[in-house]
């Protein structure tokens, strides 16, 4: 039974599952998330994770985390570890140990032998070029391989010798014997096993023969008794092969059914692991978890809350049509979540000194500030105040227009959570640059109001100079300048990188930011959403900007 969640829109896969269960096709819902451990997970994978694990939760079924590790050359334990960390971070878990396709290699080999014995597979020695030529084009039947009618005994012998390591890579393949005249090229006797003398990250040198994805994947699903095998649209043309293989071999019944949905594409982003690996290897970014990467580890480091990513995946929905989602939608979900949960603090990113001339030297006092106006339970903190403070340079203008409600000569503003100050004098250096403002405060305005009910329009954030902590703040922008970086004519996607995607500034932050856990959400008042970077250390604080407060990209 479905635990219906009224807040989530329904979609064709839910409807299909409801119908399948009503007909009694499956005893329950078992899905799987099957990453190949050849890279870190990205936001596209999040869509698949939310769908597969989400459906399992809804229908009180199960979702297996299964590593599709059938290609020994590109896979690595580092990826196996990062994938588990990322799935958990996103908020999902699996019941048992993660599963590995490589654990089924012996069984898969057995199913291949079963096909040979039934006269449904044969060993072929056509070269890759000949293979392609014989296969032909969809509009005309292909040419049968000269080895298509090799006797069963000979096939069994050759296949066993392929396993024993007698032959070089690329010399022999095992092919399913299906239909050389099918309009679907995947059904024209596809290769199902190839020779690869390569060490595997889990099975070591036990095998030099590896199953091809199309053969392995359906068997993995069937062996795990998956009910609904959900994959992206490009696998639609592979579905007849998926079904053919399972129907021929003695795997448990009922057989799983494959259903396809549209993959997630996001503007200003590349989403293939191969391209992301290229960015890492060519050092265009600082690693897989660079906060500008569309990887889950990058987004975690940047401060995107997992709840925002789940919400985003719900909003994108599940359809049968490929489309392009705006990056702004993801940022909208991030801001919405952060506005609710982020702790407010003050930080000055472009400091300008303000001296409060009528405040006694050497004295200090503390003002109470709210941690999160959206959530009373987050409480308050004490913010130190003294004679010298930092404000942001952009909050002062010497020749200010009427509508500028911040600081200017002769004007009065409120310091957030503190008091009112008035600018009396502007100090400049020899180059004529403003280096200091001399202001006076009204002690009566402590806490934010005055007995005479005087009102000021502007409120500035600030940090007491004596108490401030220096911090490195990393301001991130889009990684690419083009909405579809891998589809610009005549340009490599790496030529579309935004040269200003990371800017580093030296800031002053309030002392309460010391020791703030990496990843926990913060709002620097009036400046943006931030989080502590894992590089941060006592005395050397580092923060990443998660997002600006509002969508400023469109105005550029
Ligand atoms: P990539 O093209 O980035 O290498 P992949 O499909 O080869 O991705 P896998 O590790 O095989 O990567 O993917 C695991 C699962 O995630 C698959 O079921 C795949 O369909 C799904 N997936 C991958 N990319 C997306 C995406 N952009 N949107 C939705 N699902 C995706
Ligand atoms: Mg894949």
């Amino acid at each position: 039974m479905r635990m219906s969640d009224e807040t989530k829109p329904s979609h064709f896969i839910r409807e299909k599952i409801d119908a399948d269960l009503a007909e009694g096709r499956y005893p329950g819902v078992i899905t799987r998330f099957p990453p190949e451990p050849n890279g870190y997970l990205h936001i596209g994978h999040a869509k698949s994770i939310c769908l597969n694990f989400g459906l399992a939760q809804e229908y009180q079924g199960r979702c297996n985390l299964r590593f599709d590790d059938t290609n020994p050359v590109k896979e690595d334990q580092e990826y196996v570890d990062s994938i588990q960390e990322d799935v958990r971070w996103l908020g999902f878990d699996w019941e048992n140990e993660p599963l590995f396709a490589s654990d089924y290699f012996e069984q898969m080999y057995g199913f291949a032998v079963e096909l040979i014995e039934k006269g449904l597979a044969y060993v072929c020695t056509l070269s890759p070029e000949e293979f392609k030529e014989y296969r032909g084009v969809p509009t005309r039947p292909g040419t049968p391989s000269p080895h298509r009618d090799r006797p069963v005994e000979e096939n069994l012998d050759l296949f066993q010798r392929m396993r024993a390591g007698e032959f070089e890579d690329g010399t022999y393949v095992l092919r399913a014997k299906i239909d050389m005249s099918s309009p679907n090229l995947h059904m024209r006797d596809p290769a199902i096993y190839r020779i690869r003398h390569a060490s595997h990250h889990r099975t070591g040198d036990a095998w030099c023969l590896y199953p091809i994805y199309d053969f392995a994947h359906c068997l993995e699903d069937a062996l795990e008794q998956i009910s609904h095998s959900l994959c992206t649209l490009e696998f639609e043309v592979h579905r007849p092969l998926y079904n053919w293989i399972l129907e021929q071999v003695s795997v448990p019944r009922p057989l799983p059914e494959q259903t396809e949905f549209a993959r997630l594409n996001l503007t200003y982003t590349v989403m293939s692991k191969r391209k992301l690996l290229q960015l890492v290897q060519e050092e265009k970014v600082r690693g897989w978890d660079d906060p500008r990467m569309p990887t889950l580890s990058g987004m975690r480091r940047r401060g995107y809350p997992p709840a925002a990513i789940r919400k985003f995946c719900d909003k994108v929905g599940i359809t049968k049509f490929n489309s392009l989602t705006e990056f702004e939608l993801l940022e909208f979900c991030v801001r919405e979540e952060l506005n609710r949960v982020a702790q407010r603090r003050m930080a000055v990113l472009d400091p300008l000194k303000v001296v409060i001339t009528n405040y006694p030297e050497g004295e200090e006092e503390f003002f109470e500030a709210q941690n999160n106006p959206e959530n009373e339970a987050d409480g308050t903190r004490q913010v130190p105040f003294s004679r010298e403070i930092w404000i942001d340079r952009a909050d002062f203008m010497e020749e200010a227009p009427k509508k500028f409600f911040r600081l200017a000569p002769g004007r009065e503003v409120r310091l957030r959570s503190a008091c009112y100050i008035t600018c009396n004098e502007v100090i400049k250096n020899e180059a004529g640059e403003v280096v200091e403002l001399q202001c006076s405060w009204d002690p009566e305005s402590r806490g934010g109001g005055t007995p005479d009910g005087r009102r000021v329009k502007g409120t500035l954030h600030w940090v007491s100079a004596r108490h401030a902590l220096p911090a490195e703040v990393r301001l991130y922008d889009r990684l690419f300048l083009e909405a579809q970086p891998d589809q610009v004519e005549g340009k490599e996607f790496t030529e579309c990188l935004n040269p200003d995607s990371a800017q580093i500034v030296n800031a002053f932050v309030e002392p309460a930011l010391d020791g703030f856990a990496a990843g926990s959400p913060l709002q620097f008042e009036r400046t943006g959403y931030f989080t502590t970077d894992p590089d941060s250390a006592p005395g050397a604080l580092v923060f990443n900007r998660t997002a600006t407060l509002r969508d400023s990209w469109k105005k550029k």
Side-chain angles (χ1 to χ4, degrees):
M1 265 308 287
R2 162 141 69 106
M3 307 266 292
S4 69
D5 178 347
E6 300 301 331
T7 61
K8 291 186 182 178
S10 198
H11 51 66
F12 73 97
I13 295 182
R14 270 204 197 99
E15 280 157 20
K16 176 167 180 12
I17 294 178
D18 286 340
D20 287 347
L21 294 181
E23 280 172 32
R25 281 189 65 191
Y26 299 103
V29 173
I30 308 179
T31 56
R32 85 285 175 266
F33 173 63
E36 187 183 349
N38 62 351
Y40 281 60
L41 297 182
H42 52 60
I43 183 77
H45 292 114
K47 177 173 180 177
S48 177
I49 295 169
C50 290
L51 177 65
N52 283 295
F53 283 94
L55 287 170
Q57 277 174 1
E58 258 174 65
Y59 289 89
Q60 295 168 290
R62 191 176 81 219
C63 178
N64 292 345
L65 172 65
R66 180 212 306 149
F67 291 99
D68 216 331
D69 56 348
T70 53
N71 181 0
V73 219
K74 293 185 176 165
E75 295 160 1
D76 200 273
Q77 185 62 36
E78 175 193 353
Y79 302 134
V80 171
D81 296 338
S82 75
I83 288 170
Q84 296 186 58
E85 189 183 354
D86 290 348
V87 174
R88 285 211 181 87
W89 174 73
L90 202 54
F92 299 102
D93 214 332
W94 48 96
E95 282 171 20
N96 308 309
E97 288 294 296
L99 302 166
F100 291 86
S102 51
D103 286 343
Y104 312 129
F105 280 171
E106 193 62 54
Q107 278 164 291
M108 290 177 188
Y109 181 85
F111 292 125
V113 169
E114 185 180 348
L115 284 184
I116 297 173
E117 285 170 343
K118 288 179 172 165
L120 295 172
Y122 59 96
V123 174
C124 182
T125 51
L126 288 182
S127 69
E129 297 74 35
E130 289 168 323
F131 183 103
K132 240 180 124 182
E133 203 183 304
Y134 278 63
R135 194 177 51 182
V137 293
T139 47
R140 264 180 291 123
T143 314
S145 157
H147 315 119
R148 198 168 199 261
D149 295 317
R150 201 193 287 278
V152 170
E153 286 313 312
E154 205 178 308
N155 281 319
L156 286 174
D157 175 61
L158 284 172
F159 191 50
Q160 189 276 119
R161 288 163 60 196
M162 283 164 71
R163 176 178 184 168
E166 283 188 33
F167 312 117
E168 301 280 297
D169 286 8
T171 49
Y172 289 63
V173 293
L174 184 71
R175 298 177 69 170
K177 190 170 176 178
I178 310 181
D179 178 3
M180 285 307 289
S181 60
S182 169
N184 182 342
L185 294 187
H186 296 286
M187 298 297 274
R188 292 190 182 176
D189 293 10
I192 56 175
Y193 263 96
R194 62 178 167 181
I195 299 172
R196 265 275 154 102
H197 291 268
S199 264
H200 185 279
H201 70 109
R202 294 187 81 240
T203 56
D205 296 321
W207 293 87
C208 60
L209 186 67
Y210 291 93
I212 302 275
Y213 175 89
D214 276 332
F215 182 68
H217 198 85
C218 56
L219 292 174
E220 294 155 26
D221 284 347
L223 290 171
E224 292 175 15
Q225 303 257 283
I226 301 300
S227 58
H228 295 84
S229 175
L230 312 176
C231 62
T232 42
L233 287 177
E234 63 276 21
F235 289 98
E236 195 163 6
V237 286
H238 297 246
R239 188 170 2 123
L241 178 55
Y242 182 104
N243 291 336
W244 185 91
I245 294 167
L246 294 186
E247 278 155 18
Q248 313 310 320
V249 296
S250 43
V251 288
R253 264 66 179 165
L255 296 178
E257 188 177 336
Q258 174 180 309
T259 304
E260 307 84 14
F261 64 95
R263 66 193 297 115
L264 174 73
N265 298 302
L266 201 57
T267 55
Y268 299 98
T269 306
V270 294
M271 205 108 78
S272 113
K273 281 183 280 185
R274 184 180 58 76
K275 289 179 184 145
L276 297 177
L277 177 64
Q278 191 181 337
L279 291 175
V280 173
Q281 285 177 337
E282 292 178 6
E283 298 184 7
K284 308 281 189 205
V285 293
R286 293 170 83 176
W288 283 99
D289 69 344
D290 186 300
R292 294 165 294 178
M293 290 279 270
T295 51
L296 296 183
S297 50
M299 291 182 175
R300 172 165 66 236
R301 188 162 186 175
R302 177 133 176 195
Y304 283 18
I309 296 177
R310 293 194 301 266
K311 183 87 165 282
F312 168 73
C313 291
D314 278 344
K315 277 190 195 287
V316 169
I318 301 296
T319 69
K320 272 276 186 195
F321 308 98
N322 278 318
S323 63
L324 184 62
T325 300
E326 305 245 331
F327 199 88
E328 285 83 352
L329 180 64
L330 176 58
E331 288 191 318
F332 170 84
C333 295
V334 167
R335 287 192 188 98
E336 195 177 52
E337 177 68 13
L338 288 179
N339 182 49
R340 222 167 48 75
V341 301
Q343 294 269 313
R344 272 61 168 176
R345 294 290 184 272
M346 291 197 282
V348 175
L349 270 48
D350 186 10
L352 173 62
K353 178 159 284 181
V354 170
V355 178
I356 304 180
T357 51
N358 60 342
Y359 195 91
E361 262 177 79
E363 269 190 30
E364 63 178 23
E365 63 192 274
F366 291 83
F367 292 108
E368 188 170 32
Q370 238 186 326
N371 285 331
N372 181 1
E374 301 288 320
N375 183 7
E376 287 268 320
D378 282 341
T380 60
R381 69 188 184 285
Q382 299 292 314
V383 184
F385 179 75
S386 60
R387 183 179 158 93
E388 295 191 357
I389 64 170
W390 299 108
I391 66 164
D392 249 306
R393 199 162 275 279
D395 283 334
F396 171 77
M397 250 179 122
E398 198 169 11
E399 317 266 343
K402 238 187 144 74
K403 286 255 159 98
F404 185 80
F405 297 123
R406 292 168 264 170
L407 208 53
R411 295 207 192 160
E412 187 172 43
V413 296
R414 178 191 294 108
L415 295 180
R416 170 79 93 215
S417 309
C419 58
Y420 290 5
I421 58 168
T422 304
C423 177
N424 306 315
E425 208 173 320
V426 180
I427 315 277
K428 295 181 181 176
N429 63 13
E430 280 169 12
E433 296 156 347
V434 177
V435 291
E436 183 184 310
L437 303 177
Q438 299 215 326
C439 297
S440 53
W441 79 309
D442 177 359
E444 300 264 299
S445 67
R446 276 197 185 93
T450 57
D452 63 7
R454 190 167 89 241
R455 294 203 164 271
V456 292
K457 277 214 165 134
T459 300
L460 310 189
H461 58 281
W462 56 278
V463 179
S464 162
R466 179 141 56 90
H467 304 88
L469 303 174
E472 174 180 320
V473 177
R474 301 173 180 168
L475 304 173
Y476 295 109
D477 213 326
R478 303 275 150 97
L479 186 53
F480 293 99
L481 292 170
E482 299 285 345
Q484 292 178 270
D486 43 9
Q487 285 179 38
V488 180
E489 262 203 49
K491 263 194 192 175
E492 265 291 299
F493 76 99
T494 48
E495 294 174 75
C496 303
L497 284 163
N498 174 6
D500 300 318
S501 59
Q503 190 198 341
I504 291 181
V505 299
N506 294 313
F508 286 116
V509 304
E510 66 169 281
L513 279 167
D514 195 9
F516 219 86
S520 3
L522 282 169
Q523 187 194 103
F524 289 173
E525 301 240 26
R526 299 179 63 235
T527 305
Y529 292 105
F530 291 80
T531 195
T532 306
D533 188 84
D535 284 349
S536 195
L541 301 181
V542 182
F543 297 95
N544 294 322
R545 182 167 70 196
T546 310
T548 51
L549 286 183
R550 275 167 292 277
D551 182 3
S552 56
W553 179 259
K554 283 201 164 131
K555 282 183 243 131
K556 280 187 188 171

